[in-house]
Amino acid sequence: MTASIISGTEIAKQTRSQLAKEVAQLREEGVAPGLVIILVGDNPASLSYIKGKRKASEEIGIDFKLEQFPESLSEEDLLRVIDSYNEDSRFHGILVQLPLPKHIDEIAVIEKISPEKDVDGFHPVNLGRMLTGQKCFLSCTPAGIMEMLRIKGVDPAGKHAVVVGRSNIVGKPVGQLLLKENATVSYCHSRTRDLSSITKQADILVVAAGKANLITGNDIKPGAVVIDVGMNRNEHGKLCGDVAFDEAKEVASLITPVPGGVGPMTITMLAYNTVEAAKKTRS
Ligand code: NAP
Ligand code: L37
């Protein structure tokens, strides 16, 4: 069997064109959605992701601002900057691009962002609301994955979903969203024994470990749906995921490529959250 490829690029394009229509309507009502991204330092990967976020925002009609500071910015000054954007009604969404320099406490920074403007969905208030099934900003990568599954008609109910990775921004929340959709969820991580024996049981396999070729064709159950979140550079400097794509596509039924899979959906869900934040300021 050769898998069908889930084109994140294509799904993102459709979602973005719908969002553009909504933004045009919002603007007519006098609300211009605004997003500010705060970057400390000049990490090349962060700059590349931010470029994509700017492009999508502009395409959709969201006012976009990048606030870039030198690596030496103090935590105190960063917290002050966040506070000023919490108060600034032109910006409905605030995103602090991670990772931050080592001298800055990520948790303190995330907690400083007003939960109503936390379009990354990283604030404990939003994470708690997600856990208890309340309306909240969902973090962008997990939300993008769920949207791809929904559009492809993959219903997680009753299926065994295996998530490789347990980070706060990808692994943990995506597992919870799959659980909410009634999947039976297993989490794997670096201390998992015999990873392959568990991934082979997955009807839905989400891989977010950041290790090229961690999952090969032999680690996948025939007919599984495989979502590859990894973003790595191979020995030729080419972008690749955590799944050995050429082998895996011969075993899976549906699979996301890297690039062109989860990445474009992550960016689109950020725009979605920003539009939702702007909508809430009406009336
Ligand atoms: P992270 O914080 O580094 O977490 C990696 C997770 O994978 C950890 O839970 C780790 O286990 C687990 N892991 C590492 N090696 C493993 C192994 N050999 N076997 C099983 N589990 C292993 O990474 P992240 O932020 O979640 O990101 C994961 C990957 O996704 C990265 O490549 C990142 O660049 C990419 N990413 C892509 C997008 C996108 O939109 N496409 C968005 C965000 C991240 P422990 O907890 O035990 O250490
Ligand atoms: N929301 N996401 C949020 N907040 C953060 O603080 N670090 C971080 C974060 N991570 C992030 O932005 N990840 C991400 C990863 C990949 C893409 C976008 C965002 C992406 O667009 N990937 C493209 C290829 C990009 C490239 O060529 O460099 C893809 O097709 O996968």
Side-chain angles (χ1 to χ4, degrees):
M1 173 166 37
T2 299
S4 300
I5 292 167
I6 306 179
S7 171
T9 309
E10 200 48 49
I11 299 170
K13 210 165 109 189
Q14 287 163 20
T15 312
R16 287 177 199 183
S17 91
Q18 273 170 7
L19 284 172
K21 284 185 204 146
E22 264 192 76
V23 170
Q25 175 69 36
L26 270 175
R27 283 183 174 269
E28 271 182 29
E29 295 172 28
V31 180
L35 169 67
V36 58
I37 295 191
I38 300 168
L39 173 65
V40 184
D42 55 3
N43 179 316
S46 290
L47 280 165
S48 147
Y49 302 156
I50 291 171
K51 213 168 116 192
K53 294 173 187 184
R54 178 195 288 276
K55 188 168 160 279
S57 298
E58 288 172 351
E59 209 179 290
I60 291 166
I62 294 169
D63 292 338
F64 180 96
K65 181 174 176 187
L66 172 61
E67 271 275 34
Q68 191 172 359
F69 294 99
E71 187 87 15
S72 59
L73 184 79
S74 72
E75 180 178 317
E76 203 187 343
D77 284 346
L78 177 58
L79 295 178
R80 255 198 289 276
V81 169
I82 294 172
D83 239 350
S84 77
Y85 282 108
N86 281 339
E87 301 300 323
D88 188 338
S89 62
R90 292 172 301 169
F91 296 99
H92 306 89
I94 302 172
L95 183 154
V96 179
Q97 186 73 28
L98 305 179
L100 287 168
K102 281 188 219 48
H103 65 274
I104 299 179
D105 175 7
E106 262 177 28
I107 293 175
V109 168
I110 290 168
E111 291 201 5
K112 191 73 180 171
I113 301 170
S114 156
E116 278 62 49
K117 295 194 176 192
D118 170 39
V119 286
D120 241 349
F122 292 172
H123 192 287
V125 164
N126 283 312
L127 288 171
R129 285 181 183 155
M130 180 199 66
L131 273 185
T132 52
Q134 301 170 64
K135 202 163 163 33
C136 62
F137 290 119
L138 293 178
S139 47
C140 303
T141 302
I145 292 169
M146 297 309 288
E147 182 63 7
M148 285 200 284
L149 293 176
R150 190 185 67 77
I151 286 178
K152 283 292 165 184
V154 178
D155 180 3
K159 303 211 167 87
H160 188 185
V162 174
V163 180
V164 183
R166 55 172 165 180
S167 72
N168 290 332
I169 70 168
V170 187
K172 266 183 214 159
V174 80
Q176 291 302 311
L177 295 177
L178 287 160
L179 177 65
K180 182 163 180 256
E181 296 298 324
N182 302 309
T184 302
V185 180
S186 300
Y187 285 99
C188 302
H189 44 78
S190 66
R191 305 286 296 273
T192 296
R193 288 188 201 150
D194 196 2
L195 178 67
S196 183
S197 73
I198 299 166
T199 60
K200 259 193 220 145
Q201 297 173 34
D203 302 306
I204 299 173
L205 178 62
V206 179
V207 192
K211 298 268 179 308
N213 297 321
L214 179 66
I215 301 295
T216 66
N218 291 329
D219 306 318
I220 298 169
K221 175 171 160 175
V225 175
V226 178
I227 307 289
D228 188 356
V229 186
M231 291 276 286
N232 312 294
R233 297 260 167 205
N234 70 10
E235 62 277 18
H236 311 292
K238 230 180 110 221
L239 263 186
C240 64
D242 291 349
V243 177
F245 183 82
D246 290 338
E247 294 176 18
K249 78 173 191 316
E250 300 306 323
V251 186
S253 64
L254 277 172
I255 186 167
T256 60
V258 177
V262 175
M265 288 305 292
T266 294
I267 289 178
T268 303
M269 297 320 284
L270 173 65
Y272 174 88
N273 282 347
T274 304
V275 173
E276 287 300 305
K279 278 193 201 163
K280 284 197 204 117
T281 64
R282 287 181 308 187
S283 75

